[in-house]
Amino acid sequence: MTSIKDVAAEAGVSVATVSRVLNEHPSVSEDARARVLAAVASLRYRPNAVARSLRTDQTHTLGLVISDVLNPYFTELARSVEEEARALGYSVIIGNADERPELQDHHVRTLLDRRIDGLLVSPTDGGSPLMLDAARAGTPMVFVDRWIPGVDVPVVRADGRSAVRDLVAHLHRLGHRRLAIIAGPAATTTGQERVEAFREALEEYGLDLPDQYIGQGDFQADSGRRATERFLDLAEPPQVVFAADNLMALGALDAVRARGLRVPDDIALAAFDDIRWFVHTDPPITAIAQPTGELGRAAVRALVDRIEGRAPRSVTLPARLVVRRSCGEPPTTNETPATSEHPSTNETPATNENPVTNRSQS
Amino acid sequence: MTSIKDVAAEAGVSVATVSRVLNEHPSVSEDARARVLAAVASLRYRPNAVARSLRTDQTHTLGLVISDVLNPYFTELARSVEEEARALGYSVIIGNADERPELQDHHVRTLLDRRIDGLLVSPTDGGSPLMLDAARAGTPMVFVDRWIPGVDVPVVRADGRSAVRDLVAHLHRLGHRRLAIIAGPAATTTGQERVEAFREALEEYGLDLPDQYIGQGDFQADSGRRATERFLDLAEPPQVVFAADNLMALGALDAVRARGLRVPDDIALAAFDDIRWFVHTDPPITAIAQPTGELGRAAVRALVDRIEGRAPRSVTLPARLVVRRSCGEPPTTNETPATSEHPSTNETPATNENPVTNRSQS
DNA sequence: CACGTCGATGTAATCGATTCCACGAGGAGG
DNA sequence: CCTCCTCGTGGAATCGATTACATCGACGTG
């Protein structure tokens, strides 16, 4: 590999001068600069980022540890994170935790070993000592989507509360009274919050959320299937199943289908997280859409602010309800297919406009 | 940050001894080893991977440049790549090219700057000078899924030829005679091959593939929609649309639906690349499934072989037809939902067993 | 007893960059 | 004309590891 010494030799200057040219230091003569650039070009020299990082103690790299790459929500998040980071001059290394705390730890450790400049995490659990230590030790860090309470780290997330209320209003209006939820792991904030929001919304309508209508899931399709089967085995099965993420909704769909039942006629289905495929499932699925792309970008901006010495801000954006047919009513809005937009812009607006239903109370 | 010097001081030995303990060099006394390990633990020391890489000239990192992360096929590929790499002691940095050659180049450049040990690429185009240079310069490299002809780099891919023949047989048996294809970019091997395989299979049945039945796509949903609209505008529209990847199939579905037409009654649809959502679309979509996970793993093994001085092998695995209802016939096999399998093993077997249809000629 | 061998350890060179410091030339100002 | 400052430049230290080489003591063998 050609190094800065080779360039210096070729250009007839010292390595210091080469470095100055490369870093756009002002005091370099026009002559020297030209010779260096010529040498760089002719040798096809590229600076060794490893050496540079060692010296400057910065890698211009962000770590992103997400819970599950196969979940389209996180895929989209990862994509927007990379995009914004690139715009700000950073690279991103993605670690996929697969909802497994020990894998999450593995990635956090590897990323810290590589001396990434900052860490974006969507924690799978309540936080390992490793991660908490890193946060306390001053590693620039931002939580995205999920977070860990009691840790002094900015959080960028969506608030689904109002959208969940819209959903319950919608369901109530359609005559559904027995509503069940497939929850995420209790160790995650999103696992808890969505259940709470759901319960609170039900209370507004005088509805109860009995324990047997709370399925325990782990954000994976399989758990959604099992929880749904259990619901269907009840003496009085729920009329609606609300899955706390898109994969569990997929599993629920499997379970319903395996019994020869139909959505929404026999049982209604709704999901947290909207994904493009929901437009084309049988039936199209009513879902709560997060402003995924904006979340990713905001998270990167917060992290980079922190890294570059500015004060990072926590951000909470609203989610919104997208009504389709899986709960029983044909959509009243005419929806443009998600795929009709350009891929790089196909995300749901952050505004909470156009809720299909007005809530009956505040 | 605590460095090896701090550990040495704490343990009362030299940095050399610390390094030896950490690298399991045999000639270290039991006493010194114990003191070093104690110091490492009490200081929570972690070696600086950047410094280590600079000295040893290896990063234990692979680069993976894929065409489009939002495409579930590539997401799954990326996941299996990371998994196998981790098992072999490597990390993976993913670069998403978004089907844009200049972005692909950006990522290749960044990865090379970081001195990754090897590169896994699924090229979006015919190959930029940058990538070709890197290959010639001896950067360990392996192509996965797509490749660039005329470059001496091992290729790990699926052969869809026989599955495409099975598909055409299936379509022919259902009485379809006017078959169209939405092709991928001509600059990609998969873009070309799938059209060729399709044409050859049609010829076996005495069928023609007129130019107007070849839609030009770019592997993105939007192009699938446009191509399908053009098909539907023809005086004699095709009876079947075969999309060369799953996103274009999604676009095709959009287009058909926007016209108020139904699949398969008004027009049949099939896709290359099977994804779990195809089980639940309306209707479930007949697709050609690649052994995605096995491709990823084989690619990593080939690359690591190359890196560690063994001879890498090109690998070609068969794809297989998965019949669902989108072409007109209820499936004759009872399909287990994709989500019933454990997420880490939910991939299609590499064998070509169980084709629903026997071809009428070889 | 002398010498060679081997195991344990430390010193210092090295990887490829950045950057502090010193130095010389040239220009401005007194 | 001398002094001082600025500009351009090179030498050398530095980042945190690995590793070649030197050293030294203990031990086995002739």
Side-chain angles (χ1 to χ4, degrees), chain A residues 154 301-314:
Chain A
R301 283 192 296 264
L303 183 56
V304 170
D305 279 348
R306 170 80 173 69
I307 291 171
E308 299 181 352
R310 296 180 295 272
R313 288 187 321 114
S314 283

Side-chain angles (χ1 to χ4, degrees), chain A residues 78-93:
Chain A
R79 202 242 203 191
S80 66
V81 163
E82 195 276 335
E83 211 158 66
E84 183 73 6
R86 179 154 35 82
L88 298 177
Y90 287 80
S91 300
V92 176
I93 303 185

Side-chain angles (χ1 to χ4, degrees), chain B residues 133-148:
Chain B
D133 279 0
R136 268 193 291 269
T139 309
M141 201 152 132
V142 166
F143 289 136
V144 56
D145 182 53
R146 312 176 183 175
W147 81 99
I148 298 176

Side-chain angles (χ1 to χ4, degrees), chain B residues 119-320:
Chain B
L119 201 53
L120 236 36
V121 189
S122 166
T124 21
D125 62 359
S128 61
L130 176 66
M131 201 160 71
L132 301 179
D133 279 0
R136 268 193 291 269
T139 309
M141 201 152 132
V142 166
F143 289 136
V144 56
D145 182 53
R146 312 176 183 175
W147 81 99
I148 298 176
V151 185
D152 183 27
V153 164
V155 179
V156 173
R157 65 189 191 99
D159 181 7
R161 224 163 210 86
S162 105
V164 168
R165 270 201 302 258
D166 290 344
L167 171 65
V168 170
H170 170 64
L171 295 170
H172 188 266
R173 203 156 56 84
L174 292 171
H176 299 306
R177 294 296 180 269
R178 298 194 308 278
L179 316 188
I181 185 170
I182 308 176
T188 62
T189 47
T190 48
Q192 294 178 351
E193 284 181 348
R194 290 171 192 177
V195 177
E196 277 165 34
F198 193 58
R199 172 178 279 126
E200 282 172 20
L202 289 182
E203 273 170 15
E204 291 184 15
Y205 288 88
L207 297 177
D208 202 30
L209 184 60
D211 282 352
Q212 59 185 3
Y213 280 5
I214 303 180
Q216 197 47 61
D218 59 5
F219 285 140
Q220 300 286 338
D222 213 35
S223 71
R225 198 162 42 74
R226 286 194 304 268
T228 305
E229 280 165 4
R230 227 163 289 131
F231 289 151
L232 295 174
D233 284 337
L234 291 175
E236 196 171 49
Q239 298 164 307
V240 182
V241 172
F242 174 41
D245 88 335
N246 71 78
L247 292 178
M248 296 193 299
L250 179 63
L253 212 50
D254 277 344
V256 170
R257 191 184 188 229
R259 301 248 173 153
L261 300 176
R262 286 178 324 170
V263 175
D265 312 77
D266 298 308
I267 188 164
L269 180 65
F272 209 104
D273 290 345
D274 190 26
I275 60 172
R276 59 205 313 200
W277 305 100
F278 279 173
V279 176
H280 291 291
T281 47
D282 177 26
I285 294 178
T286 293
I288 291 177
Q290 299 194 48
T292 319
E294 193 44 52
L295 284 176
R297 284 190 289 275
V300 170
R301 283 193 295 264
L303 183 56
V304 170
D305 279 348
R306 170 80 173 71
I307 290 171
E308 298 181 352
R310 296 179 294 272
R313 287 187 320 115
S314 284
V315 175
T316 304
L317 300 172
R320 73 179 222 288

Side-chain angles (χ1 to χ4, degrees), chain A residues 217-237:
Chain A
D218 59 5
F219 286 139
Q220 298 289 338
D222 213 35
S223 71
R225 200 159 42 75
R226 284 193 304 266
T228 305
E229 280 166 4
R230 226 164 291 132
F231 289 151
L232 295 174
D233 285 338
L234 292 174
E236 198 172 46

